[in-house]
Amino acid sequence: QIFGSTRVFVALHSSMLRLGRFALAFYGTPTRPRLVALVAQEEVISSSGQDEPPGMHMIYLPYSDDVRYPEEVHLTSGDAPRATDEQIKKASNLLRRIDLKHFSVSHFANPGLQKHYGILEALALGEDEMPDIKDETLPDEEGLARPGVVKAIEEFKAAVFGENYDQEEAEAAAAKGGASKKRKAIADAASQKSAAYDWADLADNGKV
């Protein structure tokens, strides 16, 4: 609506990239005010075309009382847990195994938008069935099932939680299930005993 607004935006975007600055902005309503950071994103072009468009990322900023400093508590208390060299080694190995090479957000389509477009397409073509939408944001189960990844995960779990962690967790779940069964049995027995009385008659005769 304002003549020259595109030129102003391009100049601001270019200057933010050149100077390495972000913009502090107000976003929201007077009843729900939020401060946000606008971070400029540079256009990325490859031989196949535009990989990432130029524009702005909007990041919600915390208020001062939203920020916590748990490390200060741990530094003074002396009881902060520390990872051993073996645990750090196993964690590093796991991260190397599941690292996403050449990651870019442009490789992942928005599943909500894809479903929306699929519905519009089905309506436009008069189709009764919805097209299958592949959610690319879900974990790569096939990749995580590779022997090398599984081994790295198990070694990391053993280094952090111990060799018998799975067994102890199963025993704890079984004990919890036994307690809930006991409570259910007590409740069922109480219901049966309660059903043997005519509570309305007892109340009318003052015998409750």
Side-chain angles (χ1 to χ4, degrees):
Q1 294 181 358
I2 301 174
F3 183 78
S5 60
T6 303
R7 186 178 302 176
V8 170
F9 177 80
V10 171
L12 177 65
H13 180 267
S14 302
S15 298
M16 289 168 68
L17 288 172
R18 180 169 52 85
L19 299 174
R21 302 291 181 87
F22 72 90
L24 181 65
F26 174 84
Y27 179 79
T29 63
T31 57
R32 195 170 179 270
R34 293 299 303 264
L35 289 176
V36 296
L38 298 179
V39 182
Q41 172 180 288
E42 194 169 4
E43 183 179 26
V44 178
I45 299 176
S46 64
S47 58
S48 59
Q50 186 188 64
D51 290 340
E52 295 184 10
M56 299 278 191
H57 290 286
M58 187 176 76
I59 303 172
Y60 288 97
L61 298 177
Y63 291 107
S64 60
D65 49 0
D66 291 335
V67 181
R68 302 290 185 267
Y69 299 96
E71 64 276 7
E72 293 183 359
V73 178
H74 287 306
L75 287 175
T76 55
S77 62
D79 60 351
R82 301 291 179 188
T84 64
D85 292 340
E86 180 68 12
Q87 291 171 345
I88 295 173
K89 180 181 176 182
K90 297 300 183 184
S92 300
N93 182 48
L94 173 60
L95 291 178
R96 281 195 297 271
R97 288 286 184 179
I98 61 176
D99 182 38
L100 296 174
K101 302 291 190 298
H102 311 298
F103 170 80
S104 172
V105 293
S106 61
H107 296 162
F108 300 89
N110 184 331
L113 280 178
Q114 293 304 309
K115 184 176 181 180
H116 174 69
Y117 293 148
I119 293 172
L120 291 180
E121 181 180 339
L123 290 172
L125 299 177
E127 297 175 348
D128 295 330
E129 296 184 2
M130 274 282 299
D132 292 332
I133 305 299
K134 182 181 179 182
D135 190 347
E136 299 171 334
T137 64
L138 294 175
D140 180 12
E141 295 184 4
E142 184 179 343
L144 292 173
R146 296 197 307 268
V149 176
V150 173
K151 182 182 178 183
I153 292 173
E154 293 301 325
E155 288 179 349
F156 174 69
K157 284 172 59 179
V160 176
F161 302 113
E163 294 288 347
N164 301 322
Y165 173 72
D166 290 335
Q167 181 181 348
E168 292 170 358
E169 194 176 48
E171 291 174 354
K176 186 178 179 181
S180 61
K181 287 180 181 178
K182 186 177 179 181
R183 286 195 298 270
K184 187 177 184 301
I186 293 172
D188 290 342
S191 297
Q192 291 175 3
K193 289 182 179 180
S194 175
Y197 296 95
D198 186 348
W199 293 103
D201 182 62
L202 291 173
D204 291 339
N205 295 305
K207 295 180 179 180
V208 175

